[in-house]
Amino acid sequence: ANGAITQLMNLKEKGFTLIELLIVIGVISILAGGLLILIDPGKQLGKARDAQRKSDLRTIQTALEEYHNDNGHYPLRCNDGGAGYGPAAISSDAQPWIAELQPYMKSIPIDPKNTWGGGGSQPATVFLYEYQSKNIGTVTNKNTPFLCDTTGQYYEIGTHLETPGDPAINWDLTDFWHGGFVNYVVTN
């Protein structure tokens, strides 16, 4: 009988109790939750989309320079009603959204989200690319009237970066035709 009791005690010592397993699972869950808070996957995805946006605008810039080399001017786009101008090109419009660049690019990049979620009153929900002939108005009249470059020698491409503290944010939100969503601009 003594041997059977010793044998049962040895079996008990080899395994884990249910309480021990629950404690280990609880500790692992707390550590995993803390790690998720530190990593913040939503923020990391936003940073990745911002990197894609910056890369896309550089790619478009290269195509614009090739277009300029061949034609002596950049595509004319303006929302001031000037004769011969198309309206500002927006990536949510019909594709290709800058048709003049088709010979220079297989496809013209669009914003990773490419959404118009309410306009200037809700800039955090608008994620597009916009191309326009550069606003050459003075500081006091940039938007009234909106004055576009008529020579085709200047352009701006804007987008909205998701990461508020991104050091690349370089634009006054009121300085672009659809300025409510633009906080990052590349220009020549």
Side-chain angles (χ1 to χ4, degrees), residues 81-129:
Y85 286 88
I90 300 173
S91 62
S92 65
D93 291 345
Q95 300 301 320
W97 63 281
I98 308 175
E100 296 91 337
L101 297 184
Q102 258 195 312
Y104 306 94
M105 305 177 83
K106 260 186 182 177
S107 65
I108 303 184
I110 60 172
D111 186 272
K113 285 188 171 181
N114 208 37
T115 59
W116 184 274
S121 64
Q122 302 171 0
T125 64
V126 177
F127 295 98
L128 305 166
Y129 298 153

Side-chain angles (χ1 to χ4, degrees), residues 6 14 33 51 58 64 68 89-90 92 98 105 112 120 136 182 184:
T6 305
K14 289 183 181 179
R58 283 191 298 276
L64 284 166
H68 185 272
I90 300 173
S92 65
I98 308 175
M105 305 177 83
I136 57 172
V182 172
Y184 177 73

Side-chain angles (χ1 to χ4, degrees), residues 16-106:
F16 294 104
T17 66
L18 180 60
I19 292 175
E20 290 171 330
L21 287 173
L22 289 174
I23 289 172
V24 169
I25 290 170
V27 168
I28 290 172
S29 298
I30 290 170
L31 291 173
L35 185 61
L36 275 177
I37 290 170
L38 287 175
I39 293 175
D40 192 357
K43 186 176 182 180
Q44 297 305 317
L45 289 171
K47 285 182 178 181
R49 285 187 294 267
D50 285 350
Q52 182 63 50
R53 288 178 179 104
K54 293 173 196 174
S55 174
D56 286 350
L57 294 190
R58 283 191 298 276
T59 301
I60 295 168
Q61 258 189 313
T62 301
L64 284 166
E65 293 307 322
E66 292 174 18
Y67 178 91
H68 185 272
N69 289 340
D70 290 347
N71 298 285
H73 63 85
Y74 297 103
L76 298 174
R77 293 284 192 281
C78 190
N79 283 329
D80 71 353
Y85 286 88
I90 300 173
S91 62
S92 65
D93 291 345
Q95 300 301 320
W97 63 281
I98 308 175
E100 296 91 337
L101 297 184
Q102 258 195 312
Y104 306 94
M105 305 177 83
K106 260 186 182 177

